[in-house]
Every structure is written in structure tokens, then in C-alpha cells.
């Protein structure tokens, strides 16, 4: 499709109007557009041939249109082109998805752990067998570079593999009784139907991190992916069906987020809400879940400090900060949002870091050597611009970048700001873009105070070669995750989650299972009766 064929007016029912999120046509480079149109067509053709380009919702094992026939455009953020039109669903479809999940719960929860494990393992195998196509789909709808997208498939699939194994380890307990004729047991049982609402920045991994443990425990799910990235979710659901996971165990609805959210929140059949996304929406969901007293886990926004001490290894700190900041163009909840650098190493670090950032190649995620893709939409681009303008107006200095990229669309130059202060917007809130603000500190105490001076508490990073400091600072940081001399710390085997307003509960690792289990105490009395 050429640019002139791109439909710019789209679905208006929900909170977003796509057309207004696309940059003006003037900012678009025509030659770039033609090149990518050809590329996109062959990628979508291949995906269609492999049966992975699904556009309908999945309810009770059947692919279904929205009941009123409405559709929603999914765009490639690198080009603005429409990749596909997907069903735009709402409350009615969600209620039916809940009913099918509720029915399926009866049989799925009664399977042996080994049977559930086999289904999950097969799903993992299929995700890995289609790693390349799924990676291409992520790049198409989300924009991240292909290598990073394929890496997300690896990471996302591993949650399914891990929980296929963990399914067999849901142990209960026998408690020593207080009376001789009694026996006391603790059983762990699946909580029931879970509603899983996920964001656009990890279109696969944020789903598998929830659905993997849910299914392993015996729960069934209704998944609501982001309106920006539903295609990866639908492809993953198709592979779940192919893996033999029974109809109704995994359902997917997308479209009008508030309506879908309301249906999930108000249904007494939904016993668990698991959400990853912004803190603002997370708070609404938490309040909404109170009506039916559901179990809730929330993975919300961060404001990660990345603290570089004078005694750090400069190369390790530069590479770690680079990875922590610029992955996914700065659009992850664990991205370093503030780089706090001690005064003795500040100039050297700023210089080496800026040089490294200058080498980051920006472009369409399918381009050779590209490590920085576009931002997800125009609103994200404008947010980054506002934050940079605010910082500069209050005295920050632009060391590198600081403006829209010449590629147009939603591309933004990888940016380094120095002389940043705690009161600037870039320090207070998640910038969610490729902007690294450098703040200077003098002492360890000051760094800890600056790092903790936020309502967020998801990830933090420290770079130091001092062992005692590593322990002291790790313990003092009010964060759920701490990386020491390392900028990439997420893995399926470790617990992931935030403190303060970054969330509730943990995903990944054995702890991720607890979010989908209820504990039942059984007291067997009068056991000596013959
Ligand atoms: P978002 O706007 O909160 O959206 C997340 C999901 O919630 C989407 O599926 C969205 O649907 C849905 N949603 C929005 N309003 C809703 C409502 N009233 N009821 C029910 N669902 C609703 O967040 P985002 O912009 O997609 O993602 C970025 C945010 O996620 C950042 O703050 C980031 O830090 C956070 N995040 C956190 C983690 C973590 O593990 N802590 C991981 C990744 C991202 P639509 O898109 O269809 O509107």
C-alpha cells in the first residue's frame, strides 16, 4: 500500500482516535514509504500464508467478528500504513468470552498438572517454531527493531516453558495438628477465570507472563491486548489452539478498552484481574475490582534511577546505562528514566555515554543494523518533546539529539541531556522515549534520596565496584528490582514487579504462580472414629 492509500480516519469509539496520532503527511519521506510498503506486503503475505495473521477475536475456540461488525485499524508506527483491520469488540463480546472461560474452567482446572503442562510445552514449542514470523509481526505493529522483536519472542516463550514445568510443583502442606484426632491441610487451588489486560510495548511477553502461570495453575483467561498491538496476541492465541489447549481456556477480545474493562471488572465469574500498563489505568482497575472483591495484580509504570558511582567501571556503566535506557526506544517500564552520576565521574561518563548514544542507528525496525525504532504514536512523540522542552527551559543542556528525527513519522533522535534537576518533568515522570537525563550527585546518601524521591518503585540500577556499597544501596532502594553493574535484568526465572505505586504482586518465577492460586485450609476432625 502506498502512503496515499493509508486510511487516516479510524475507530473513534474508544479513548484514542488514530488519525490524530499520525504525524502530518509533510513529515513523511516518500521514498522511505515506498520501500517499506513493498517490505510490509511480503511480511504480511508470509504471515497470512502461515495462518498467523488473525484479525478476529477468539471466543470459546472460535474466531469471531465484533457483533456490530466494527473494526479497528492497526498501523505500522514506522510508516503509518494500515497492517490490518481487526474486530473492534466491547462489553457484549467480553461477557461471552467470560462465559466460555467460565465453562472451560470446569474441565481445565480438573486436568492433572501433567496434562496442563503438556499443553503449555506444546504451545512453547510452536511459539519457538514461529519465532521469526512472530518477531516480524511485533516489528510491524510495535516498531521495535527485528532483532529485539525476535528476542522478545524468545523471552516471551520462555514464560510458557517455565510455567509448563512449574505446573507440576503446586504443592500444598500438612500442618501439625493441635489436637490428636485432627489433621490439618493446606490446598492450593486455581482462583478461577482471570482477565488479563496488557500494553503495547511487549505485545507477546506481557501476555505470556500472565497466561503461562494462569493456565499452569488451572485458571482460564480472557486476554485484552492493546488496541495498538492486537495482532501478536491473536497469533499467539492461534498457536495455543494449534497446541491443543482446549477451546475457551484462552479467549482474546480487543477494541473498546473501557467497555471491555467494565465487563471484566463487574463480572462475578472473573475472580482475578492481572494488568500491565500505566499507573493511571491500574488505579482505575483496582478501584473497579473492589465491587466484586477480586484478586488483583498490577504491573505499572516506573521512574527508574540508574546510579553511576565514582568507583564504577566506565565501560560497564556506559554499556549498562545504554541498554537500560534505549531498549525499545526507551519505551519500557524498566527503562532508566534518570541517570544519576557522581561528580567525580560525571564529565567522563557524559562524554563516553554521548559518544555511544551517537552510534545508535535509528530507522524502520526491519532496516539493517537499526537499533532504535519509532515511538508508538504521535502522542508519545509529543510527550517526549514536551519533556525535553520543559527541561531545556529550566536549564538543562542538550548534549545530543533533542528533536524529532529527520526520518519523520514518530522517530525521535536519541537524546542526552545534562544539568538536569530533580524538579524537571523528565525526572518526575516516565518519559517513555529515547531521552537520557543526566543528574549530578555528590554522596551515596544524596543518590539514595534522589533515587527514592518518587512514587514509583519498579526497577533501579547501580554501577559500582564496591561490594559493601552494592549491598547498602540495594537494600536502601525502594524498588522491586535492582540491577548491579547490569542494565538488562528481566528473566522468566526471577520475580518481576514493583513497590509503591509501581504495582502489586509479582510475575515470573515460582512467585508468579501465587497470583493465580487460592489457599484453602481443610480440617479433618474425628479421624480416630472407626
Ligand atoms: P495503558 O494506556 O494503561 O494501557 C494498557 C492496557 O490497558 C491496554 O490494553 C489498554 O487498552 C488498556 N486500558 C486502557 N484504559 C482502560 C480501561 N479504562 N479499562 C480497561 N483497560 C484499559 O498503558 P500503555 O500506554 O499501553 O503502556 C505503557 C505503560 O505500561 C507505561 O506506563 C509502562 O511503564 C507500563 N508498563 C509496565 C510494565 C510492568 O511490568 N510494570 C511493563 C510494561 C509496561 P487500549 O490500548 O486498547 O486502549
Amino acid at each position: 500500500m502506498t502512503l496515499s492509500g493509508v486510511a487516516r480516519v479510524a475507530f473513534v469509539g474508544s479513548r484514542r482516535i488514530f488519525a490524530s496520532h499520525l504525524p502530518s503527511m509533510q513529515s513523511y519521506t516518500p521514498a522511505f514509504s515506498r520501500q517499506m510498503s513493498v517490505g510490509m506486503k511480503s511480511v504480511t503475505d508470509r504471515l497470512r500464508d502461515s495462518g498467523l495473521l488473525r484479525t478476529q477475536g477468539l471466543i470459546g475456540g472460535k474466531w469471531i467478528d465484533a457483533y456490530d461488525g466494527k473494526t479497528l485499524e492497526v498501523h505500522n508506527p514506522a510508516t503509518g500504513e494500515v497492517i490490518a483491520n481487526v474486530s473492534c469488540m466491547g462489553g457484549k463480546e467480553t461477557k461471552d468470552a467470560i462465559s466460555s472461560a467460565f465453562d472451560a474452567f470446569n474441565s481445565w482446572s480438573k486436568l492433572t498438572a501433567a496434562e496442563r503442562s503438556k499443553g503449555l510445552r506444546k504451545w512453547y514449542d510452536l511459539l519457538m517454531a514461529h519465532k521469526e514470523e512472530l518477531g516480524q509481526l511485533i516489528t510491524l505493529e510495535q516498531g521495535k527493531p527485528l532483532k529485539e522483536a525476535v528476542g522478545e519472542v524468545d523471552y516471551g516463550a520462555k514464560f510458557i516453558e517455565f510455567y509448563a514445568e512449574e505446573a507440576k510443583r503446586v504443592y500444598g502442606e500438612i500442618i501439625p495438628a493441635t489436637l490428636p484426632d485432627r489433621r490439618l491441610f493446606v490446598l492450593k487451588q486455581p482462583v478461577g477465570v482471570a482477565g488479563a489486560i496488557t500494553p503495547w510495548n511487549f505485545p507477546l511477553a506481557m501476555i505470556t507472563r500472565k497466561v503461562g502461570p494462569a493456565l499452569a495453575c488451572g485458571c482460564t483467561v480472557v486476554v485484552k491486548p492493546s488496541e495498538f498491538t492486537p495482532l501478536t496476541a491473536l497469533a499467539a492465541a492461534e498457536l495455543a489452539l494449534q497446541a491443543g489447549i482446549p477451546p475457551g481456556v484462552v479467549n482474546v477480545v480487543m477494541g473498546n478498552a473501557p467497555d471491555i474493562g467494565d465487563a471484566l471488572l463487574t463480572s462475578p465469574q472473573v475472580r482475578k484481574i492481572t494488568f500491565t500498563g500505566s499507573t493511571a489505568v491500574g488505579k482505575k482497575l483496582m478501584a473497579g475490582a473492589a465491587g466484586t472483591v477480586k484478586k488483583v495484580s498490577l504491573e505499572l509504570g516506573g521512574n527508574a534511577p540508574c546510579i553511576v558511582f565514582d568507583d564504577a567501571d566506565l565501560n560497564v556503566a556506559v554499556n549498562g546505562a545504554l541498554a537500560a535506557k534505549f531498549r525499545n526506544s526507551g519505551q519500557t517500564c524498566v527503562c532508566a528514566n534518570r541517570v544519576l552520576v557522581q561528580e567525580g565521574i560525571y564529565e567522563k561518563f557524559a562524554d563516553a555515554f554521548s559518544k555511544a548514544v551517537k552510534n545508535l542507528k535509528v530507522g524502520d525496525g526491519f532496516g539493517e543494523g537499526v537499533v532504535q525504532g519509532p515511538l508508538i504514536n504521535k502522542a508519545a512523540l509529543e510527550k517526549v518533546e514536551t519533556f525535553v522542552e520543559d527541561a531545556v527551559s529550566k536549564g538543562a543542556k542538550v548534549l545530543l539529539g533533542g528533536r524529532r528525527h529527520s526520518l519523520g513519522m514518530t522517530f525521535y533522535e536519541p537524546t542526552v541531556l545534562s544539568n538536569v534537576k530533580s524538579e524537571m518533568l523528565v525526572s518526575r515522570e516516565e518519559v517513555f522515549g529515547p531521552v537520557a537525563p543526566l543528574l549530578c550527585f555528590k554522596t551515596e546518601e544524596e543518590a539514595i534520596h534522589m533515587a527514592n524521591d518518587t512514587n514509583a518503585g519498579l526497577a533501579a540500577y547501580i554501577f559500582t565496584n564496591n561490594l559493601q556499597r552494592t549491598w547498602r544501596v540495594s537494600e536502601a532502594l525502594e524498588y522491586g528490582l535492582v540491577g548491579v553493574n547490569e542494565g538488562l535484568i528481566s528473566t522468566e526465572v526471577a520475580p518481576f514487579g514493583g513497590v509503591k505505586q509501581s504495582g502489586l504482586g509479582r510475575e515470573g518465577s515460582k512467585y508468579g504462580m501465587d497470583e493465580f492460586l487460592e489457599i484453602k485450609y481443610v480440617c479433618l476432625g474425628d479421624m480416630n472414629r472407626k
Side-chain angles (χ1 to χ4, degrees):
M1 182 187 286
T2 59
L3 183 66
S4 59
V6 174
R8 287 179 53 79
V9 180
F11 166 73
V12 184
S14 179
R15 70 197 164 102
R16 288 172 177 132
I17 304 168
F18 278 123
S20 70
H21 281 220
L22 294 174
S24 72
M25 292 300 171
Q26 285 82 349
S27 62
Y28 202 83
T29 314
F32 185 59
S33 150
R34 271 194 302 279
Q35 183 196 332
M36 289 324 302
S37 297
V38 173
M40 186 175 107
K41 191 166 178 322
S42 61
V43 170
T44 48
D45 284 350
R46 273 203 304 278
L47 287 163
R48 201 169 284 111
D49 291 347
S50 64
L52 291 183
L53 195 66
R54 288 281 174 189
T55 55
Q56 295 163 295
L58 180 65
I59 300 177
K62 295 202 169 62
W63 295 102
I64 291 186
D65 286 327
Y67 296 160
D68 59 7
K70 265 195 197 163
T71 59
L72 170 67
E73 290 180 346
V74 181
H75 294 261
N76 176 345
T79 64
E81 290 172 290
V82 178
I83 307 164
N85 288 285
V86 299
S87 307
C88 177
M89 299 175 144
K92 285 190 185 136
E93 294 87 346
T94 307
K95 283 182 186 154
D96 287 344
I98 294 168
S99 295
S100 82
F102 191 72
D103 292 344
F105 177 72
N106 237 335
S107 44
W108 180 252
S109 59
K110 292 195 178 75
L111 292 180
T112 63
E115 284 167 320
R116 285 199 298 271
S117 173
K118 260 187 215 145
L120 283 167
R121 177 73 211 192
K122 193 141 186 233
W123 189 15
Y124 163 75
D125 289 340
L126 286 173
L127 289 167
M128 291 306 281
H130 293 279
K131 187 158 100 169
E132 294 300 323
E133 293 112 298
L134 290 169
Q136 288 168 354
L137 202 46
I138 291 174
T139 298
L140 262 189
E141 64 177 349
Q142 200 273 336
K144 68 177 69 171
L146 187 58
K147 193 170 165 208
E148 208 176 314
V150 172
E152 182 187 335
V153 181
D154 242 325
Y155 171 60
K158 281 194 178 126
F159 286 102
I160 303 299
E161 183 191 40
F162 181 86
Y163 286 110
E165 294 155 0
E166 209 60 18
K168 300 177 218 161
R169 299 184 194 115
V170 181
Y171 300 120
E173 210 175 347
I174 297 177
I175 297 174
T178 48
L179 294 170
D181 68 340
R182 293 203 177 173
R183 293 296 177 268
L184 314 183
F185 305 92
V186 172
L187 301 180
K188 288 192 181 173
Q189 295 183 310
V191 64
V193 174
I197 303 176
T198 57
W200 48 263
N201 62 346
F202 288 92
L204 181 71
M206 294 304 102
I207 291 174
T208 53
R209 208 162 77 171
K210 298 176 184 320
V211 176
L215 266 55
C217 292
C219 296
T220 55
V221 294
V222 176
V223 178
K224 195 219 89 61
S226 165
E227 64 184 315
F228 297 119
T229 56
L231 297 173
T232 308
L234 295 171
E238 163 65 29
L239 293 174
L241 284 182
Q242 288 181 21
I245 292 178
V249 172
V250 176
N251 304 274
V252 185
V253 290
M254 63 268 158
N256 189 325
D259 284 1
I260 294 171
D262 278 354
L264 290 170
L265 291 171
T266 53
S267 168
Q269 291 182 329
V270 175
R271 296 306 318 139
K272 162 86 190 179
I273 292 289
T274 167
F275 171 75
T276 297
S278 61
T279 305
V281 173
K283 286 179 181 176
K284 273 194 209 163
L285 296 177
M286 192 173 172
T292 46
V293 194
K294 296 185 203 310
K295 213 170 154 85
V296 176
S297 44
L298 303 170
E299 296 286 353
L300 309 177
N303 180 3
C306 173
I307 310 174
V308 181
F309 288 99
D310 282 347
D311 57 32
D313 179 307
L314 186 63
N315 277 338
V316 170
V318 166
N319 291 331
L322 202 65
K325 174 67 246 182
F326 288 97
R327 188 160 64 117
N328 201 2
S329 300
Q331 302 173 111
T332 85
C333 51
V334 291
C335 269
N337 203 52
R338 300 167 286 157
V339 186
L340 314 180
V341 192
Q342 202 161 11
E343 59 182 356
I345 199 175
Y346 188 90
E347 292 303 330
K348 265 196 277 178
F349 177 86
D351 187 46
F353 186 64
S354 301
K355 281 191 183 123
V357 175
K358 205 171 179 188
N359 289 331
L360 299 176
K361 185 172 172 189
V362 180
D364 187 295
F366 287 104
E368 190 65 34
V370 166
V371 290
Q372 286 285 282
L375 295 174
I376 190 69
N377 57 27
K378 193 179 170 204
L381 179 71
E382 287 172 353
K383 179 180 179 186
V384 170
E385 275 186 319
T386 305
F387 278 35
V388 172
E389 278 165 21
D390 172 79
V392 170
S393 74
K394 291 174 181 158
K397 197 172 149 215
V398 177
L399 294 185
L400 191 75
R403 53 186 177 187
R404 292 183 185 206
H405 198 280
S406 57
L407 284 171
M409 294 303 296
T410 55
F411 291 97
Y412 196 84
E413 291 185 351
T415 295
V416 182
L417 303 177
S418 72
N419 199 32
V420 172
K421 302 289 175 229
S422 290
E423 62 277 9
M424 296 174 184
L425 267 178
V426 269
S427 304
R428 307 299 324 157
E429 292 175 31
E430 250 183 333
V431 62
F432 237 56
V435 178
L438 307 188
L439 293 87
C440 189
F441 68 89
K442 287 190 168 68
T443 64
E444 186 179 301
E445 292 67 32
E446 190 189 357
I448 292 167
H449 173 77
M450 287 164 81
N452 288 341
D453 182 23
T454 166
N455 285 330
L458 187 57
Y461 306 89
I462 59 178
F463 290 89
T464 174
N465 277 335
N466 179 324
L467 185 60
Q468 285 75 15
R469 169 172 279 160
T470 296
W471 279 108
R472 257 193 328 266
V473 179
S474 297
E475 286 179 9
L477 287 170
E478 296 166 355
Y479 287 82
L481 323 165
V482 179
V484 180
N485 294 328
E486 180 55 63
L488 297 176
I489 59 172
S490 304
T491 156
E492 75 282 4
V493 301
F496 186 105
V499 302
K500 290 157 89 176
Q501 294 185 24
S502 284
L504 293 175
R506 292 293 178 271
E507 292 188 336
S509 79
K510 64 174 182 176
Y511 303 104
M513 296 287 277
D514 298 341
E515 308 294 332
F516 297 93
L517 292 168
E518 293 284 15
I519 286 178
K520 183 182 281 176
Y521 157 54
V522 179
C523 172
L524 173 64
D526 196 16
M527 68 168 286
N528 294 331
R529 185 161 47 138
K530 298 257 166 45

